[in-house]
Amino acid sequence: RTDRKYTRRTDCGNHSMFRHPLAAAVVPIVTHNRPATATRPETNAWCELNEQKMCADAIYNKDFLYQAKSVEYPPWMNYDPLYCLHNGW
């Protein structure tokens, strides 16, 4: 939609899957969810791990098509049909 302003979260990335890959593999992903406080909004694992941050931005903006809207594909680029198929596009 072009009739609204979107906000990109700046509070993501408090943990890293790459800095501690073994811990990331054995720690349940749900442990990365952080509830909201009086000063900070809630975060989920996508935000905390800074992976697929578009998902966290979509939830924050309450627009679940945010990811599809924010991906830029040059006109000359062929879409990967398997990627699109498995991601619901």
Side-chain angles (χ1 to χ4, degrees), residues 42-89:
E42 74 174 312
T43 62
N44 60 20
W46 291 123
C47 180
E48 289 294 314
L49 295 170
N50 214 25
E51 292 292 320
Q52 288 287 331
K53 193 175 115 5
M54 280 188 261
C55 179
D57 290 338
I59 294 168
Y60 188 78
N61 287 290
K62 296 181 174 85
D63 184 353
F64 294 97
L65 289 175
Y66 179 86
Q67 184 169 0
K69 294 174 186 177
S70 61
V71 174
E72 266 189 61
Y73 289 109
W76 51 265
M77 187 175 172
N78 293 327
Y79 296 163
D80 181 346
L82 291 176
Y83 180 83
C84 293
L85 172 70
H86 294 296
N87 286 287
W89 294 2

